Structures are given as structure tokens and as C-alpha cells.
Amino acid sequence: MKKTYVNKKLLAILISSGMAITLTGCGKASNCNIENEHIHIYHNEKNNLTKYINSEKLKVKGFDWTAYYSEDIENVSLICENDFYIINDNLEYLKKIVNSNQHQREEYVINDYIYGNYYGYDYGYNYKSKKYEYFMGYHTGYHYESHWKNIDINEYTDNKVRDITYKYKVYKINDDKSISMKFVDNFDEIDNKYMFFKKSGLVTKVISDEYYLEKEISKNYQK
């Protein structure tokens, strides 16, 4: 697929000069007089997002019309149809998303021995089988209450832990116009094929299996 990028300098000039964005009613059309078939760039100032939208309206779902456009109808139409954003044109937005989803670690903490309802594998009366037995389900009695608690990534604990990381869904348009998807850890190195993302479903939370930290971490933490 032919690469199509927004000229960010041009877009910035248009925005600052007031030529690109008009903040009037969303039902009104722009005064565009370009004769050739084309698709305009739209900009959402609040979220600092830029995308192609096949419209001439001044406002479309929070995005403002700009004077910048592309005549690469075949490729840009596919971008619009799939509701894609171009990664390279929205790096500041993506940077904020990545910064708000940093690697975290949780430890499994067991609280006091208390009386009450709980869900787990234990001995009791099973209303399904109508007999006393060990089963997985709801019980009433004394039990240890537990939960997962955030800890510093460099902190040592004897309790079991799990890591929480985040992956990001990116897309490419293949030569046959089909769409491929993969997950990436960040946007530091942009793949020249997987150059699109969608705002919805962008972030996937990944929770690791439970494990115990090595003692060596404790030594490093105490320095």
C-alpha cells in the first residue's frame, strides 16, 4: 500500500492561522472548491488526534475540518472505511496512552481470619448434590480473606506476585485490501507496514501467571 501521511507542519500552520478549523455548527459544509476527488484531514484538538474523514462538513463527531487533503482516493478510502488513524500522525496521543499504562506488579496478600461468605474450594453442604462434600462454590464460615495489592516494581516480597503489562493493537492494509493485525509493546519503532491503529480496542491488558520473586531482587532493593 502506498504510504499516506499528514503534513504536520502544514496542519499546524493552518490551525494556528484559523484557516484549517472553523468552529461553527456541525451541520454546515466547508467552502471547499477543490474540483478533483479528494478526502480531507480532520483534527480533534481536545484529544490531539488527526484522521482522514470522507466528508465536507465542518464538524464530524468532535473532529474539525481542515484544508489539508489527499487525492489518493483508493488508499485513503480504505483508511476511512476501517476507521484507522495513522500512527506517525498521532504520536503525541499514543505517547500519553503508553505513559498511562506502565508495567505494574501486584502481590497476593492474605488478610485476617474472618467469618462470612466466600467463594472457593472447601468442605460444606452442596445444594446441587444435596450432601456434604468438598466443592468449588460459595461457602459460609471462617476463612482467610485475600486480595491483590500493587507494589513497587523493584520491591521484594515473599508472597506470590503477578505482572501487569499492556500491548497495543496495530493494523496494516495488505496488497489485496485485506486487513492484518498484530500486537506491539510500544510505538518507539514504527513498522512501515503496520502503520495504523483504532482508538477503540487499542489497549490490551496482559496479566502474567503467578510466580515468586528471586531472592536476588531483595539484595538489589536493599542497596
Side-chain angles (χ1 to χ4, degrees):
M1 177 185 173
K2 180 181 176 182
K3 295 180 182 178
T4 308
Y5 296 118
V6 179
N7 185 326
K8 299 294 278 189
K9 287 185 178 180
L10 174 60
L11 183 58
I13 292 171
L14 291 171
I15 292 171
S16 63
S17 67
M19 293 171 61
I21 296 177
T22 308
L23 301 177
T24 53
C26 60
K28 296 183 178 180
S30 66
N31 294 321
C32 181
N33 56 8
I34 300 167
E35 295 183 359
N36 295 337
E37 190 175 4
H38 62 282
I39 298 177
H40 280 273
I41 284 289
Y42 279 70
H43 182 71
N44 183 308
E45 186 175 2
K46 180 180 178 181
N47 295 319
N48 196 20
L49 276 168
T50 298
K51 67 183 298 188
Y52 282 103
I53 299 178
N54 194 359
S55 175
E56 288 292 348
K57 290 183 178 180
L58 291 173
K59 277 185 172 291
V60 179
K61 296 181 179 178
F63 284 80
D64 297 300
W65 180 91
T66 78
Y68 188 72
Y69 64 93
S70 172
E71 294 183 358
D72 183 9
I73 300 302
E74 181 180 2
N75 290 322
V76 176
S77 291
L78 284 170
I79 295 174
C80 295
E81 289 169 12
N82 288 281
D83 197 27
F84 284 156
Y85 296 79
I86 298 174
I87 292 173
N88 273 332
D89 295 331
N90 293 283
L91 290 176
E92 287 302 315
Y93 171 82
L94 293 172
K95 182 179 179 181
K96 287 179 63 177
I97 295 294
V98 172
N99 287 341
S100 64
N101 292 292
Q102 294 295 307
H103 179 193
Q104 303 169 51
R105 180 165 292 153
E106 296 179 333
E107 69 168 325
Y108 189 68
V109 179
I110 299 176
N111 294 338
D112 296 334
Y113 195 56
I114 62 173
Y115 184 88
N117 298 322
Y118 65 98
Y119 184 85
Y121 184 77
D122 210 339
Y123 185 82
Y125 185 76
N126 190 339
Y127 287 93
K128 290 184 178 179
S129 63
K130 297 182 179 180
K131 61 182 180 179
Y132 285 92
E133 62 183 356
Y134 281 97
F135 68 96
M136 178 63 75
Y138 288 99
H139 301 267
T140 300
Y142 284 98
H143 64 282
Y144 286 103
E145 192 173 69
S146 58
H147 69 281
W148 288 97
K149 171 188 172 184
N150 280 330
I151 62 171
D152 188 279
I153 200 71
N154 295 311
E155 182 178 345
Y156 177 80
T157 175
D158 288 325
N159 296 328
K160 60 185 176 182
V161 299
R162 65 184 185 183
D163 291 327
I164 298 175
T165 55
Y166 298 89
K167 290 187 178 294
Y168 305 94
K169 196 180 294 185
V170 295
Y171 302 85
K172 75 170 180 177
I173 300 176
N174 300 308
D175 292 337
D176 63 357
K177 311 305 180 187
S178 63
I179 306 299
S180 296
M181 182 275 290
K182 73 173 183 178
F183 289 99
V184 297
D185 295 324
N186 55 61
F187 300 95
D188 292 341
E189 296 182 6
I190 307 300
D191 190 315
N192 61 1
K193 293 182 179 178
Y194 287 86
M195 50 190 287
F196 307 106
F197 72 95
K198 291 185 177 183
K199 189 178 176 184
S200 61
L202 171 62
V203 183
T204 296
K205 183 178 181 179
V206 180
I207 301 177
S208 73
D209 293 334
E210 301 165 10
Y211 67 97
Y212 289 93
L213 295 170
E214 299 290 338
K215 289 289 185 181
E216 188 64 28
I217 296 178
S218 178
K219 296 178 183 177
N220 294 333
Y221 182 67
Q222 292 171 4
K223 290 181 179 179

